[in-house]
Amino acid sequence: MARAPFELAGTRIPPGSRAQIDVPVAKLYTHAPLHIPVEVVHGRQPGPVLLVCGAIHGDEINGVEIVRRMLRLASLSRLRGTLIAVPIVNVFGFVQQTRYLPDRRDLNRCFPGSEVGSLGSRVASLFREQIVDLATHIVDLHTGAIHRTNLPQVRAQMKDRPATQAMAEAFGVPVILNAELREGSLREYAQSRDVPVLTYEAGEALRFDEWAIAPGVRGVQRVMRLLGMLPTDRRRHAPAVAEVANGSSWARSPIDGILRPRARLGARVARGDVLGRVADPFGNAEQEVLANADGIVIGMSNLPLANEGEALFHVARFDEIEEAENAVETFHSDFETRQEL
Ligand SMILES: [Zn+2]
């Protein structure tokens, strides 16, 4: 029997073809229509339906570039299953270069949403009904918040979720955070429906960080190979090793002042190490920002201006710290080798 076309928002995509679809989401108050842009690649052969989406937080744009590069891969002509690529979910926030929706809500706290709720709730509900509910697997692309940068990392439920766990390990970035599910997030919603889902967090908001984008493109491809959606790579590189963190915490600014960071992203630190120093503009009243655990710096502030209590360095803890350190080093040298090729 011939494979059925894929249908999204009223558009039918025959097997072996692709289509760009503008899914109407709302109107601006100028009455100009606003759409969520979607590209569907519907393979000739049956397989999973993978949703890859970016910019649920409107200023997190590394994922937009990851999706663009994904869609240019020649191997998609041999796709098994269906790829739903959504470069920009929060189109409102993207236009305004902000994380939030115009009503200052965080779209990633609005799932599953409701047709009669707030703007955030309505956008979440529409995105869910028209797009998310079609997917059998999801990769959600994020970056650090504004002025914060993340070491490439995957966040996923690593307990009792073998399919999610396999995707997280296949992605091939050095750190996996077995992160709590945030209420109202896409990840929580998908997990509640037993749809394997992971979040890729890398780089900084409002930036294109090549060291976050390139591994993201490779990570999605690795997940697609794991799911049998893409042919296996013959030029096989050694599989990247990921270490699962057993927790993480932020080292915060002890005072209001100006930060001189000392630790770098990806650095191994020991409890009590000086991660940076905060002082007044003359350098008086200086205080140290200390690591509160042994671990790896997986996120940090890029803005040297800090209030007391400001989250400055995100340190992940590991059972096998040596192995985590090696995973980060291998990841960095692998990235540099590829850049030179
Ligand atoms: Zn985000």
Side-chain angles (χ1 to χ4, degrees):
M1 200 177 78
R3 175 156 151 83
F6 190 80
E7 194 168 329
L8 189 146
T11 302
R12 287 159 74 87
I13 303 110
S17 71
R18 54 203 289 172
Q20 288 176 359
I21 303 157
D22 287 327
V23 178
V25 40
K27 279 185 176 150
L28 297 174
Y29 35 61
T30 59
H31 266 222
L34 206 57
H35 300 102
I36 297 180
V38 181
E39 182 156 342
V40 175
V41 186
H42 192 42
R44 248 177 258 285
Q45 305 293 327
V49 180
L50 174 68
L51 167 64
V52 181
C53 60
I56 276 194
H57 293 135
D59 59 354
E60 299 183 1
I61 65 177
N62 280 325
V64 180
E65 176 62 4
I66 292 172
V67 170
R68 190 192 68 84
R69 292 192 199 176
M70 281 299 308
L71 288 170
R72 293 180 159 249
L73 293 173
S75 56
L76 287 183
S77 64
R78 290 188 286 162
L79 178 73
R80 286 178 164 266
T82 308
L83 173 67
I84 308 176
V86 185
I88 307 153
V89 177
N90 179 1
V91 281
F92 289 98
F94 188 76
V95 168
Q96 299 281 330
Q97 302 178 11
T98 165
R99 177 183 182 91
Y100 301 105
L101 288 159
D103 61 358
R104 298 190 211 171
R105 278 193 168 80
D106 182 331
L107 181 54
N108 210 27
R109 304 287 179 271
C110 292
F111 288 91
S114 142
E115 278 172 37
V116 292
S118 67
L119 172 64
S121 184
R122 288 174 197 221
V123 173
S125 157
L126 181 136
F127 175 57
R128 178 176 59 73
E129 277 177 13
Q130 303 270 342
I131 299 167
V132 176
D133 286 348
L134 304 175
T136 60
H137 299 76
I138 299 174
V139 175
D140 185 19
L141 305 168
H142 288 254
T143 75
I146 185 134
H147 302 313
R148 282 180 216 287
T149 189
N150 281 332
L151 184 76
Q153 59 198 260
V154 158
R155 299 189 181 173
Q157 292 286 98
M158 296 300 283
K159 286 202 185 95
D160 309 322
R161 302 275 178 181
T164 294
Q165 186 181 341
M167 280 169 66
E169 283 165 357
F171 202 93
V173 290
V175 174
I176 300 173
L177 220 52
N178 184 18
E180 295 286 302
L181 290 172
R182 295 272 181 116
E183 202 182 329
S185 67
L186 172 61
R187 198 156 68 85
E188 185 207 48
Y189 170 71
Q191 204 79 91
S192 74
R193 297 181 67 236
D194 281 329
V195 171
V197 56
L198 66 82
T199 299
Y200 175 57
E201 281 272 0
E204 185 182 352
L206 296 177
R207 297 284 178 270
F208 270 178
D209 300 299
E210 185 58 27
W211 50 265
I213 293 166
V217 176
R218 275 198 298 282
V220 179
Q221 286 176 269
R222 286 198 184 105
V223 167
M224 291 175 79
R225 286 199 285 270
L226 170 82
L227 300 177
M229 299 178 74
L230 290 180
T232 34
D233 192 355
R234 260 181 241 129
R235 305 155 296 153
R236 185 173 281 283
H237 296 275
V241 195
E243 278 296 304
V244 182
N246 60 28
S248 72
S249 56
W250 283 89
R252 295 177 179 277
S253 185
I255 53 167
D256 306 302
I258 297 172
L259 168 74
R260 283 148 28 233
R262 194 162 167 222
R264 284 176 304 109
L265 206 59
R268 177 180 171 179
V269 297
R271 187 186 169 88
D273 279 359
V274 177
L275 303 179
R277 295 186 167 83
V278 184
D280 76 12
F282 298 106
N284 301 322
E286 183 172 282
Q287 291 215 19
E288 292 171 333
V289 185
L290 300 177
N292 42 21
D294 295 355
I296 303 280
V297 178
I298 61 161
M300 61 183 283
S301 172
N302 276 340
L303 182 71
L305 312 178
N307 288 115
E308 183 180 333
E310 191 97 45
L312 298 179
F313 298 91
H314 193 195
V315 176
R317 301 183 297 275
F318 298 86
D319 291 332
E320 306 285 346
I321 179 77
E322 301 278 339
E323 285 173 25
E325 186 182 24
N326 288 341
V328 172
E329 270 168 26
T330 308
F331 175 78
H332 283 319
S333 59
D334 184 47
F335 174 72
E336 263 145 40
T337 313
R338 286 171 190 273
Q339 290 300 99
E340 284 159 15
L341 288 178

